[in-house]
Amino acid sequence: MKILVVEDEAKTGDYLKQGLVEAGFVVDLMRDGRDGLHCALTESHDVIVLDVMLPGMSGWEVLRGIRAAGRDVPVLFLTARDAVDDRVHGLELGADDYLVKPFAFSELLARVRTLLRRGSRRTETEILRAADLELDPLRRRASRAGRRIDLTAKEFALLELLLRRRGEVLPRSLIASQVWDMNFDSDTNVIEVAVRRLRAKIDDGFEPKLIRTVRGMGYVLEAGGGD
Ligand code: CA
């Protein structure tokens, strides 16, 4: 799952990004309001964490821009301790929740998870399947033939993407933008290596093989046998 963080304060931004990546999310970090809005409208995110005081364009303008474009992505905004009016204002503008700075990272993570559950009822109960492979996006569990498979955060995100778009050949550029962040250099062989590792975990010792390389095009997950 992918999160956009818009925060100009360098330390806070880096800290949020690192913590969210460690928790298994893909994170786009923008340090300016204008870049934040652009990123929100051109990429797709499951949650947006938005600071209010930003250079370029305020958090409120960013939020207004997101809602004006018809995007209903959950937004959690970050506000200063003494700015009580902000809380009302933000919620009126269509934000879903807020946190008062400074906050503990565990608190932010809990709020983000609540928004993810609330935002996509689909995700809550949904188990993604192909043949005897199962993946539970919210509980972050994967298994094949009933056997638990341990995946890294990137492997998990990659498998989730392949399962959600099963049967479709996914080009490396698309995988890069969905599983890595937007600054990722897709010319490296990082994706190949990640796919190889993922395949070793979910296909070695099992039939049918699920992940297939389409030479010169990308990767596809197929259950085969008409399934
Ligand atoms: Ca700020």
Side-chain angles (χ1 to χ4, degrees), residues 3-6 30 32-51 54 57-77 90 93-96:
I3 298 183
L4 169 63
V5 176
V6 191
M30 293 291 134
D32 169 282
R34 243 173 261 284
D35 293 343
L37 179 58
H38 180 75
C39 186
L41 298 183
T42 51
E43 304 273 320
S44 103
H45 302 98
D46 298 288
V47 168
I48 296 177
V49 177
L50 181 64
D51 187 29
L54 290 168
M57 186 186 252
S58 78
W60 301 143
E61 289 172 277
V62 175
L63 178 56
R64 238 184 244 122
I66 291 169
R67 295 300 183 235
R71 300 283 186 120
D72 61 357
V73 51
V75 173
L76 170 72
F77 68 91
L93 283 178
D96 299 89

Side-chain angles (χ1 to χ4, degrees), residues 7-8 51 53 101:
E7 167 64 84
D8 59 310
D51 187 29
M53 300 283 283
K101 288 180 167 183

Side-chain angles (χ1 to χ4, degrees), residues 147-218:
R147 216 184 300 163
R148 177 80 178 265
I149 298 170
D150 287 316
L151 299 173
T152 64
K154 288 287 178 238
E155 288 163 357
F156 196 95
L158 181 58
L159 184 57
E160 183 177 349
L161 176 67
L162 285 163
L163 274 164
R164 286 196 187 281
R165 310 207 24 188
R166 58 185 278 196
E168 255 181 83
V169 179
L170 304 181
R172 284 154 48 117
S173 56
L174 183 134
I175 293 174
S177 75
Q178 295 290 305
V179 178
W180 279 265
D181 59 56
M182 58 184 301
N183 300 313
F184 177 75
D185 176 7
S186 61
D187 292 336
T188 65
N189 68 346
V190 171
I191 294 174
E192 258 172 73
V193 172
V195 170
R196 201 182 309 141
R197 294 215 175 110
L198 177 61
R199 201 181 250 155
K201 289 183 181 180
I202 69 155
D203 275 344
D204 280 6
F206 295 103
E207 289 297 337
K209 306 298 182 204
L210 298 174
I211 299 176
R212 200 158 60 80
T213 305
V214 182
R215 214 168 288 281
M217 295 186 69

